[in-house]
Amino acid sequence: MIRNASLRDLDGLVELERRCFDSDLISRRSFRHLMTRANAGLLVDDEEGALAGYALVVFNRGTALARLYSIAVDAAFRRRGVGRGLLAAAEAEALARGCVSMRSEVRLDNRASLALFEGNGYRRIEELEDYYEDHMGAYRYERALVPQRELTR
């Protein structure tokens, strides 16, 4: 079940972050800030009490562009549609906040995430060299969340 994260999820989020990523980790303090003070949406997929994954969307006032800052799926829940569900929920959250498009950066070596974004209508708009803490590059992806004809009305 996908729901908004709460402070009860902090320990699980920090642990999931450590299991999923080797660098550029979101700290406990940052997760707390994102949940309580930031202009962000933090969604979790709760599978019978187990944290299967999360999606973090950041919003900037004055723009209709949302940024999917991070998405993570626990290894035990991969290949079950958890990432796809979190991505769809993040897009719905962005639409609910008045955004018309969403961007995200994906490591060049993260095949699963590259396939997720490309398989869900995102287009690669830029390659970013030396993007991550460990100097790995990234692709920037973008997707319109509303049909183009609605944008021109």
Side-chain angles (χ1 to χ4, degrees):
M1 171 183 82
I2 297 176
R3 60 174 173 76
N4 288 315
S6 72
L7 293 175
R8 291 186 317 269
D9 297 311
L10 268 176
D11 290 338
L13 286 164
V14 170
E15 188 54 37
L16 178 62
E17 188 78 354
R18 285 186 189 135
R19 286 193 309 269
C20 290
F21 303 112
D22 294 324
S23 66
D24 298 273
L25 301 178
I26 299 172
S27 69
R28 178 184 192 83
R29 181 178 180 178
S30 291
F31 273 123
R32 178 184 292 277
H33 174 78
L34 290 160
M35 276 190 258
T36 60
R37 295 197 173 102
N39 191 15
L42 182 55
L43 305 165
V44 294
D45 188 333
D46 184 336
E47 298 293 327
E48 298 178 15
L51 192 60
Y54 79 81
L56 171 59
V57 186
V58 177
F59 305 97
N60 291 312
R61 294 182 198 336
T63 181
L65 175 68
R67 180 172 178 226
L68 182 62
Y69 185 81
S70 185
I71 186 167
V73 177
D74 188 277
F77 293 93
R78 291 186 185 146
R79 305 199 58 81
R80 297 185 189 181
V82 172
R84 207 169 29 256
L86 285 165
L87 182 58
E91 292 171 349
E93 177 78 11
L95 278 168
R97 293 189 188 215
C99 293
V100 298
S101 62
M102 185 149 60
R103 283 188 182 167
S104 190
E105 294 78 32
V106 179
R107 288 177 63 94
L108 298 178
D109 63 352
N110 188 336
R111 291 183 185 178
S113 287
L114 294 170
L116 175 67
F117 283 93
E118 291 174 6
N120 283 280
Y122 283 77
R123 65 185 181 87
R124 190 181 302 171
I125 61 171
E126 187 176 5
E127 183 171 345
L128 307 163
E129 293 182 21
D130 197 22
Y131 186 78
Y132 291 98
E133 198 173 83
D134 65 357
H135 307 290
M136 174 60 67
Y139 290 126
R140 178 168 286 144
Y141 284 91
E142 184 173 22
R143 178 171 183 255
L145 299 176
V146 295
Q148 290 298 317
R149 65 178 174 271
E150 287 185 35
L151 293 175
T152 59
R153 287 185 187 170

